[in-house]
Amino acid sequence: MPMKKITIKVPSGTKYLSDFKNEAGQRFKLPNGILNKELTGCGGTTLALEDENKTIICSPRRKLIENKAAQYPNSLLVVEGVTEKQVKEYIAATPIPKILTTYDSFRKIKKAVGCFEGWKVVVDEFQCLLNDSAFKASTELAFLKELESCPYVTYLSATPI
């Protein structure tokens, strides 16, 4: 079945995705699919960190998630050195977990979470899956394979592909 393209018209003057509400007055939600936001800095990652969903944000760039983790001290940064046990402890102690990780470390979180029902995964800077595949093909393919069992994944980018 072909993917359906949906265009959302955001009123001019709207600076952040979190400022946008639909016709029913509901706050914008990241879709289960691709969001080509076209503008950098409009709050896609911030929206995922501040919404009411258990969320895992994956980025190919460690510096990006380190900066977000510093802005959101109740989040968990999962990179090299963080164990599956630490992830499980954080999830058990946190009503709405927000986990930041690299594509490489996602499999560690997947083991800790187990069932992804009720979770959202945000693949930030998803254009890097293509761009970086020339030198990290096995990592990128393994990450995509891990995502197959996740029922809700937003592929987020402001970079046209």
Side-chain angles (χ1 to χ4, degrees):
M1 175 152 73
M3 189 178 291
K4 186 169 112 181
K5 180 179 179 180
I6 299 170
T7 302
I8 300 168
K9 302 230 185 269
V10 178
S12 64
T14 303
K15 188 172 181 180
Y16 299 108
L17 290 173
S18 60
D19 297 337
F20 175 64
K21 293 191 176 16
N22 66 16
E23 297 83 27
Q26 298 167 322
R27 187 175 173 190
F28 181 80
K29 294 184 182 195
L30 294 175
N32 187 12
I34 297 171
L35 177 60
N36 176 12
K37 56 186 185 146
E38 295 184 4
L39 296 171
T40 59
C42 67
T45 308
T46 299
L47 187 64
L49 285 163
E50 294 179 356
D51 70 12
E52 67 285 350
N53 300 296
K54 297 185 283 187
T55 308
I56 301 163
I57 298 170
C58 308
S59 172
R61 307 293 182 253
R62 186 170 170 162
K63 198 66 175 162
L64 177 85
I65 57 173
E66 287 173 346
N67 289 338
K68 286 295 180 183
Q71 292 172 6
Y72 292 86
N74 292 330
S75 65
L76 177 67
L77 177 65
V78 178
V79 291
E80 184 181 351
V82 176
T83 66
E84 183 183 334
K85 181 179 181 231
Q86 289 171 303
V87 175
K88 284 181 179 182
E89 288 170 353
Y90 168 78
I91 292 169
T94 310
I96 303 175
K98 301 292 181 173
I99 301 173
L100 297 147
T101 192
T102 59
Y103 293 174
D104 306 54
S105 293
F106 180 75
R107 69 186 171 285
K108 192 183 318 184
I109 295 165
K110 190 168 182 197
K111 284 181 182 177
V113 170
C115 175
F116 273 77
E117 200 62 43
W119 284 82
K120 290 189 176 185
V121 178
V122 176
V123 180
D124 205 0
E125 304 294 338
F126 86 90
Q127 78 282 354
C128 291
L129 289 168
L130 298 173
N131 297 343
D132 295 355
S133 65
F135 60 92
K136 287 176 50 174
S138 60
T139 299
E140 309 300 47
L141 286 172
F143 175 57
L144 286 170
K145 189 76 175 153
E146 295 286 342
L147 290 172
E148 287 178 1
S149 62
C150 300
Y152 201 105
V153 181
T154 300
Y155 296 90
L156 186 62
S157 180
T159 305
I161 298 178

